[in-house]
Amino acid sequence: MNSRPALPPLREVIATHGLAASKALGQNFLLDEQLLDRIAAIPGPLQDAAAFEVGPGPGGLTRAILRAGARLVAVERDRRCLPALAELELAFPGQLRTISGDAMAVDARAEAGDGAHVIANLPYNVGTPLLIGWLSADWSPLPWWSSLTLMFQMEVAERIVAQVGSNHYGRLAILSQWRSDARIAMKVHRSAFTPPPKVMSAVVHLTPKPAPEGVQIKYLERLTAAAFGQRRKMLRQSLKGLPGALDALEVIGIDPQRRAETVSVEEFVAVARVLGS
Ligand code: SAM
């Protein structure tokens, strides 16, 4: 039997605590509990699992993650949301710890613990830097997080999962896919948010796979920055300024007349391995 006290509807929470959405904080709230439960189900069963959420806001997704049985650490920058989150701490005893602060400055691994599932409806202005930070974490042979389930604007989601040769293919696809499987798990219509943003959104699900041996991310970052800095140019032009890059292409057997958007993730990884050797 569930003896949890009934929680007020999210609209009431927003009204009671005066949580008028702040554009500067990227606040577009999700209030549909069924949708939120579907998002919280994407990582798989969460009973007793560790989870980490950025930007719980009034707590809609937070509730869904807690209903799924996770032990959750949530970081929220907007202090106005803290009383509503304190109510959730009481309603789900021992399951939720809220940190008041900027997720960019929080050590997620230290706070959430190894193996945590990261689940968030991300604020648009810090979503990509946070993703890059999680992707750049130590992998030995896997990162501290078990999965990333993240809401992005559709255009960013498309860049994360883009395949070689497509318009959206670039640095973000390579940094996301070289040691993770990345897929769009759910598209979310703008009308699902309060207030509705201008664009559609999507939830991306990333699961880590062992890092390819002998490749350091700094070489992959330098290589992809140079290659996609001038994406319409041939590699022999765009990589000219990166010491060793043209020799590395030759070692791997990549034609320098190709453009960055035609080079697969595996090929970039192979070049980065030679660059760093
Ligand atoms: N999780 C809620 C939901 O799904 O309805 C709110 C999502 S809203 C898109 C983004 C949330 O991130 C807001 O609550 C905002 O205050 C918070 N936020 C913005 N920047 C932040 C930062 N740097 N660190 C932590 N939280 C942040």
Side-chain angles (χ1 to χ4, degrees):
M1 265 289 275
N2 187 351
S3 58
R4 196 180 300 139
L7 287 163
L10 287 160
R11 279 190 197 284
E12 200 176 307
V13 171
I14 289 172
T16 309
H17 297 285
L19 304 180
S22 148
K23 213 171 176 181
L25 284 170
Q27 291 182 338
N28 300 98
F29 301 132
L30 288 170
L31 308 180
D32 176 339
E33 303 231 338
Q34 282 184 4
L35 173 70
L36 289 159
D37 282 334
R38 279 169 49 217
I39 296 171
I42 290 171
L46 289 178
Q47 187 63 46
D48 299 321
F52 181 73
E53 184 188 8
V54 171
L61 183 56
T62 317
R63 293 180 181 195
I65 298 167
L66 294 169
R67 278 195 293 270
R71 289 173 288 107
L72 175 64
V73 175
V75 185
E76 175 55 60
R77 188 169 185 176
D78 185 351
R79 300 184 66 83
R80 296 178 308 162
C81 299
L82 299 180
L85 297 168
E87 287 171 11
L88 289 186
E89 288 182 10
L90 289 177
F92 294 87
Q95 268 186 266
L96 172 65
R97 183 162 64 87
T98 306
I99 299 173
S100 170
D102 180 351
M104 293 294 289
V106 165
D107 182 343
R109 178 183 198 162
E111 298 294 350
D114 281 346
H117 296 272
V118 180
I119 309 167
N121 174 14
L122 288 172
Y124 72 92
N125 50 345
V126 289
T128 312
L130 283 169
L131 172 64
I132 301 267
W134 295 322
L135 292 170
S136 311
D138 227 12
W139 293 46
S140 46
L142 291 171
W144 63 269
W145 45 269
S146 291
S147 68
L148 305 176
T149 302
L150 307 171
M151 179 88 72
F152 285 100
Q153 297 177 18
M154 179 66 81
E155 190 260 335
V156 179
E158 283 173 338
R159 287 201 283 129
I160 293 168
V161 305
Q163 296 298 301
V164 61
S166 70
N167 281 345
H168 292 284
Y169 184 68
R171 290 195 75 201
L172 198 53
I174 292 156
L175 294 179
S176 300
Q177 295 173 35
W178 75 287
R179 49 187 181 176
S180 310
D181 289 313
R183 68 184 176 97
I184 290 183
M186 188 190 291
K187 294 185 179 174
V188 183
H189 196 272
R190 47 189 290 280
S191 62
F193 298 85
T194 303
K198 288 204 176 69
V199 292
M200 305 291 271
S201 296
V203 181
V204 177
H205 183 59
L206 296 107
T207 48
K209 50 189 189 193
E213 279 192 22
V215 185
Q216 292 176 51
I217 190 166
K218 66 180 178 189
Y219 291 105
L220 194 61
E221 280 179 334
R222 280 178 208 163
L223 183 64
T224 52
F228 287 99
Q230 306 179 61
R231 63 182 292 139
R232 302 278 163 221
K233 297 231 165 103
M234 293 178 191
L235 293 170
R236 72 162 182 238
Q237 177 66 26
S238 57
L239 297 184
K240 217 166 47 182
L242 186 65
L246 295 181
D247 292 340
L249 287 187
E250 198 175 329
V251 172
I252 302 301
I254 294 179
D255 181 351
Q257 305 215 48
R258 285 170 62 187
R259 292 184 173 81
E261 65 213 26
T262 72
V263 179
S264 69
V265 176
E266 293 70 27
E267 286 175 316
F268 273 113
V269 164
V271 177
R273 182 182 287 115
V274 174
L275 261 186
S277 62

